[in-house]
């Protein structure tokens, strides 16, 4: 029996004959990862195909090309300008299709490296706070519009909570960082050990204004709430030894968090 020949991988040139370019990018719509570099894509397709792609994704690919170029060139001013334009388009009220297009085209993958950039070209620029805050606002809007975004962020960058905690120390980024932290912790049901993951927690609480304390109370509630407190969940855990062991460890973490937040009269007074 003759072996079957492998079907050749469709080349980008075949896009010229495709009646609907958006269908070729369905994987991106599902996973949030761009199927290829947009620079490579633009270089290997004709101009009218690139135009169709931009139209299918509400001009998001062209903005992502500019954003990537500004990041690669270490142009902090241009980076902030492009992010402002993206925010204006993506965050339009009642335009969830724009948010879906941004996620589908790999927009989150470009935002995360910007948030984690500590190099002087950005960190020492006068636009660093605004740049990070725009990125955080985009992540917040995407998380609220698309339920899979918080899980995706946590999977792509395991250190994202640590980075968000560090941004709580700055007035410019506090509110947005607090919102994104709440979305990720609540969506992933992640257990946060405040003492281990957030060692300067008490210092931060003492520095917060009344407004910021009120905003942060929603995040604090997630730190001191036991996810298996319901009766049905408790019965299921009791019947499973492995779950019981994990639940006991989780209870110890929750108790430490509660002790840190509630039993400290200074912190409790700040929250009240």
């Amino acid at each position: 029996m003759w072996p079957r020949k492998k079907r050749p991988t469709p080349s980008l040139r075949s896009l010229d004959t495709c009646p609907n370019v958006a269908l070729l990018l369905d994987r991106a719509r599902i996973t949030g990862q761009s199927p290829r570099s947009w620079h490579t894509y633009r270089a290997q397709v004709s101009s009218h195909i690139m135009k169709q792609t931009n139209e299918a994704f509400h001009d998001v690919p062209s903005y992502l090309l500019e954003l990537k170029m500004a990041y690669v060139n270490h142009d902090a001013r241009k980076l902030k300008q492009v992010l402002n334009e993206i925010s204006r388009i993506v965050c339009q009220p009642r335009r969830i299709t724009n948010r879906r297009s941004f996620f589908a085209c790999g927009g989150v993958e470009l935002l995360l490296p910007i948030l984690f950039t500590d190099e002087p070209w950005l960190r020492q620029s006068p636009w660093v706070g605004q740049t990070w805050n725009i990125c955080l606002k985009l992540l917040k809007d995407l998380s609220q519009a698309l339920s899979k975004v918080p899980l995706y962020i946590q999977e792509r960058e395991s250190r994202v909570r640590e980075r968000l905690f560090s941004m709580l120390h700055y007035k410019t980024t506090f509110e947005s960082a607090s919102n994104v932290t709440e979305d990720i912790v609540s969506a992933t049901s992640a257990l946060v050990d405040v003492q281990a993951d957030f060692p300067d927690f008490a210092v931060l609480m003492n520095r917060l204004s009344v407004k910021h304390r009120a905003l942060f109370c929603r995040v604090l509630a997630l730190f001191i709430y036991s996810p298996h407190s319901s009766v049905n969940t408790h019965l299921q855990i009791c019947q499973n030894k492995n779950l019981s062991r994990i639940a006991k460890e989780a209870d110890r973490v929750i108790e430490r968090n509660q002790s840190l937040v509630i039993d400290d009269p200074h912190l409790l007074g700040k929250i009240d």
Side-chain angles (χ1 to χ4, degrees):
M1 185 175 180
W2 295 101
R4 292 183 180 181
K5 293 183 178 180
K6 292 184 178 180
R7 293 184 179 180
T9 303
S11 64
L12 291 178
R13 293 186 179 86
S14 65
L15 294 177
D16 288 326
T17 60
C18 180
N20 188 352
V21 176
L23 292 177
L24 296 174
L25 304 175
D26 277 344
R27 178 178 176 274
R29 294 184 188 277
I30 297 171
T31 64
Q33 300 178 40
S34 178
R36 57 181 65 83
S37 165
W38 286 114
H39 289 280
T40 305
Y41 183 85
R42 182 175 61 177
Q44 297 191 21
V45 300
S46 61
S47 58
H48 80 274
I49 290 297
M50 190 65 201
K51 181 180 178 182
Q52 288 183 9
T53 304
N54 274 319
E55 290 174 352
F57 288 95
H58 307 90
D59 293 326
V60 169
S62 61
Y63 283 108
L64 293 184
L65 282 167
E66 291 187 47
L67 186 66
K68 181 68 174 181
M69 187 62 66
Y71 183 77
V72 171
N73 292 336
H74 295 177
D75 190 340
R77 182 194 294 270
K78 182 65 174 179
L79 192 70
K80 183 180 78 72
Q81 291 175 349
V82 178
L83 282 170
N84 274 325
E85 288 297 317
I86 291 175
S87 179
R88 181 180 59 82
I89 293 174
V90 172
C91 299
Q92 288 182 9
R94 301 180 182 180
R95 293 299 298 272
I96 192 172
T97 52
N98 293 354
R99 295 172 177 82
R100 288 173 177 164
S101 294
F102 184 80
F103 177 69
C105 293
V108 173
E109 289 189 350
L110 288 180
L111 294 181
L112 291 178
I114 297 173
L115 281 178
F116 278 83
T117 298
D118 281 324
E119 297 176 14
W121 68 269
L122 180 60
R123 190 63 184 259
Q124 296 178 9
S125 74
W127 308 285
V128 58
Q130 299 173 47
T131 299
W132 284 343
N133 196 44
I134 297 170
C135 290
L136 290 169
K137 285 184 176 180
L138 283 167
L139 292 178
K140 181 197 71 172
D141 285 346
L142 290 167
S143 297
Q144 292 179 351
L146 306 170
S147 59
K148 57 187 172 184
V149 170
L151 296 171
Y152 179 80
I153 294 173
Q154 182 66 41
E155 290 174 359
R156 298 295 295 176
E157 183 50 73
S158 60
R159 297 176 296 120
V160 68
R161 284 183 298 168
E162 298 173 17
R163 189 63 171 180
L164 290 171
F165 287 161
S166 70
M167 291 186 175
L168 292 170
H169 287 275
Y170 305 101
K171 291 182 179 179
T172 307
T173 56
F174 176 86
E175 184 173 348
S176 299
S178 180
N179 289 331
V180 177
T181 301
E182 179 186 353
D183 290 337
I184 291 177
V185 173
S186 59
T188 59
S189 298
L191 188 63
V192 179
D193 189 338
V194 176
Q195 289 181 336
D197 300 339
F198 200 6
D200 54 352
F201 173 78
V203 176
L204 173 65
M205 291 301 298
N206 287 324
R207 291 172 50 188
L208 292 183
S209 64
V210 175
K211 177 184 176 182
H212 284 167
R213 277 185 235 121
L215 290 171
F216 199 58
C217 279
R218 294 172 62 91
V219 179
L220 288 178
L222 296 173
F223 293 165
I224 62 177
Y225 170 73
S226 176
H228 53 270
S229 58
S230 67
V231 175
N232 290 335
T233 306
H234 182 71
L235 290 175
Q236 292 175 4
I237 290 175
C238 290
Q239 296 171 1
N240 188 306
K241 292 183 179 180
N242 290 330
L243 285 179
S244 180
R245 179 178 54 81
I246 295 172
K248 287 179 180 179
E249 177 58 31
D251 283 337
R252 284 193 286 269
V253 173
I254 293 295
E255 288 175 2
R256 287 199 298 268
N257 292 346
Q258 290 174 345
S259 176
L260 182 66
V261 175
I262 297 176
D263 294 343
D264 190 321
H266 300 291
L267 289 181
L268 193 59
K270 292 280 187 181
I271 298 173
D272 291 341

